[in-house]
Amino acid sequence: MFVLLGIGLLGYVFCLPRDLFTTPYSTVIVDREGELLGARTASDQQWRFPPQDEIPDKFKEALIAFEDQYFYYHWGVNPVSILRAITQNIRQKRVVSGGSTLTMQVIRLSRNQPRTVKEKIIEAILATRLEFRYSKNKILALYASHAPFGGNVVGISAASWRYFGHAAHDLSWAEAATLAVLPNAPALIHLSRSRDQLLIKRNNLLLKLKEKGKIDEETYELALSEPLPGQPLALPQIAPYFVD
């Protein structure tokens, strides 16, 4: 019995790959002040900037409020969310909710496997292991750096430049809320017939942020008045030869 427990524990300790993500990243050149001078897509033609250790506070608050409000209180798996998702799926007779935490979503992004019950169990196990390896902020940064934001845009840094023309740390509350809801349905950013859905999702999130006391009434009203982004923007090309 103790041998089996030892083998199981050893397997759990080493079940998580050393490097979660082995995807290629864009070439990104910034000046000493951190201003973007130019960039090129990664070898797979994705706008995927190199991962950052920290993410902007506004995006962090919006993301947690939208995806996983108990993020700081669980160890990778939230049994209440999973039970609620199962109940909703049974009632609707279709999959309407997955119950995944942000930590589980990091694992899913890294594995890129079909979404099956077996894979869900694997994600849950690996998510608990990931919580032992990294801090909560590091896990958030991993998610923000590898989440899909529509088209060939991956990660918060690339999305901020492509959709709003500036760095992620300059996001407004409306912009942060827009990007927070996009990984949940990244196709909404391009489909003109779905922009109303994107606006509803964004505004509902802004309302939740106001109710949670993250933004005040004036900030909320100003955020509601901001338009959604249009077509993706070209990135700065101040030093194209240096980027090449």
Side-chain angles (χ1 to χ4, degrees):
M1 177 63 73
F2 289 108
V3 173
L4 292 176
L5 287 174
I7 293 174
L9 180 60
L10 195 63
Y12 178 72
V13 170
F14 292 101
C15 69
L16 199 64
R18 180 182 297 274
D19 296 316
L20 277 181
F21 295 93
T22 57
T23 51
Y25 296 102
S26 300
T27 298
V28 179
I29 304 297
V30 299
D31 65 15
R32 61 183 176 182
E33 303 298 330
E35 291 300 316
L36 184 65
L37 298 180
R40 294 288 184 274
T41 56
S43 59
D44 60 357
Q45 305 307 307
Q46 302 291 302
W47 286 110
R48 186 188 299 106
F49 284 21
Q52 303 295 313
D53 291 331
E54 296 287 339
I55 63 175
D57 288 337
K58 290 177 183 176
F59 179 72
K60 182 188 299 185
E61 294 289 353
L63 178 64
I64 291 174
F66 183 73
E67 288 283 0
D68 189 357
Q69 59 181 326
Y70 299 108
F71 177 70
Y72 287 108
Y73 303 99
H74 62 65
W75 288 359
V77 176
N78 187 341
V80 176
S81 295
I82 292 177
L83 181 60
R84 182 171 61 247
I86 293 174
T87 302
Q88 290 175 346
N89 294 340
I90 291 175
R91 288 176 177 173
Q92 297 292 327
K93 297 181 180 180
R94 62 187 178 90
V95 177
V96 296
S97 177
S100 293
T101 63
L102 280 168
T103 313
M104 291 174 66
Q105 291 183 54
V106 169
I107 296 297
R108 184 171 71 242
L109 290 170
S110 71
R111 289 173 57 81
N112 194 28
Q113 297 293 318
R115 301 177 71 174
T116 63
V117 173
K118 177 183 176 182
E119 182 62 24
K120 198 81 167 181
I121 294 172
I122 294 173
E123 289 173 4
I125 294 172
L126 295 179
T128 61
R129 181 65 184 86
L130 186 61
E131 291 275 345
F132 284 109
R133 175 182 291 184
Y134 292 133
S135 67
K136 289 287 189 179
N137 284 341
K138 175 65 173 179
I139 292 170
L140 285 175
L142 283 172
Y143 175 86
S145 297
H146 297 92
F149 286 88
N152 67 338
V153 181
V154 178
I156 181 67
S157 296
S160 296
W161 278 104
R162 289 288 281 162
Y163 296 135
F164 300 111
H166 55 70
H169 64 259
D170 292 325
L171 289 171
S172 68
W173 278 107
E175 293 168 346
T178 300
L179 295 184
V181 304
L182 264 185
N184 184 263
L188 295 183
I189 196 70
H190 289 302
L191 303 178
S192 58
R193 65 179 182 272
S194 299
R195 290 179 71 79
D196 287 344
Q197 298 178 36
L198 178 58
L199 185 64
I200 290 171
K201 280 177 173 285
R202 185 202 73 172
N203 290 350
N204 285 343
L205 177 53
L206 288 170
L207 178 60
K208 182 180 289 187
L209 289 168
K210 182 178 75 102
E211 292 173 345
K212 288 180 173 293
K214 301 300 181 181
I215 59 177
D216 58 28
E217 181 68 33
E218 182 180 4
T219 302
Y220 170 68
E221 295 294 338
L222 288 173
L224 289 179
S225 68
E226 289 190 33
L228 292 175
Q231 291 297 316
L233 305 172
L235 270 62
Q237 296 296 336
I238 300 172
Y241 298 111
F242 189 46
V243 175
D244 289 339

